[in-house]
Amino acid sequence: KQEVTQIPAALSVPEGENLVLNCSFTDSAIYNLQWFRQDPGKGLTSLLLIQSSQREQTSGRLNASLDKSSGRSTLYIAASQPGDSATYLCAVIDNTDKLIFGTGTRLQVFP
Amino acid sequence: DVKVTQSSRYLVKRTGEKVFLECVQDMDHENMFWYRQDPGLGLRLIYFSYDVKMKEKGDIPEGYSVSREKKERFSLILESASTNQTSMYLCASSQRKGPTGGYTFGSGTRLTVV
């Protein structure tokens, strides 16, 4: 059974720092991997989608990498801002099109 | 802008009521999903559908049913609401496997059963 783990569970940093959020999964037979952001009481906003044939995707200050063979993905946030404060969720999409979510990283960026 | 729209942001219902949560997507996606999210338990899959008139049980289907009469609409039904169904409910849609496959989520419905 696929298990997805995110480290760290929580992170509190000053504004301007570059951040690395980690995601690991136990079964490398994934179809895609998607990173989401969730603000308190809100739905999930898609940040980046990495297809299984890709190794990374970039959007603005965000960069996500994927290493299927080692079962790892990393979300890199450059020059963090207070507006980046949220919970970040990693999820793998299996070959039945279902999402398996990680445990989440709660990020706080203070001024 | 493509969207998944959930009909209500907040809902308060009484124990025993039949509750309908509606979800509509405008992306012509084949797949639709209902999740519930609870503190400490993360997101759990209730039901999903790969096509019109199709439905499949997820991890926690007990106490729920679904309806998908049209491709763009997926309804979650609480047959007889109970207090343990108080939760945040999230709807999502996706294409079938393909180069642009990925999930789009709605903004959620916070349901309180009293």
Side-chain angles (χ1 to χ4, degrees), chain B residues 37-62:
Chain B
Q37 185 177 31
D38 301 286
L41 296 176
L43 284 106
R44 294 179 290 169
L45 181 62
I46 306 172
Y47 266 97
F48 58 102
S49 168
Y50 290 136
D51 204 346
V52 178
K53 305 268 187 201
M54 284 185 61
K55 59 183 179 183
E56 300 281 346
K57 292 180 180 179
D59 300 320
I60 52 162
E62 296 77 19

Side-chain angles (χ1 to χ4, degrees), chain A residues 31-32 34 36 38 41-46 49 51 89 93-101, chain B residues 9 31 33 35 37 43 45 48 50 88 90 95-103 105-107:
Chain A
Y31 196 71
N32 292 333
Q34 197 165 357
F36 296 91
Q38 187 176 32
K42 302 288 180 63
L44 276 65
T45 300
S46 178
L49 171 72
Q51 296 164 40
L89 291 162
I93 301 171
D94 67 15
N95 60 5
T96 66
D97 284 353
K98 284 186 281 187
L99 269 178
I100 299 101
F101 282 95
Chain B
R9 286 299 308 278
N31 302 335
F33 306 82
Y35 291 85
Q37 185 177 31
L43 284 106
L45 181 62
F48 58 102
Y50 290 136
M88 169 71 100
L90 292 162
Q95 290 176 310
R96 288 267 172 75
K97 288 188 282 285
T100 59
Y103 275 56
F105 277 81
S107 53

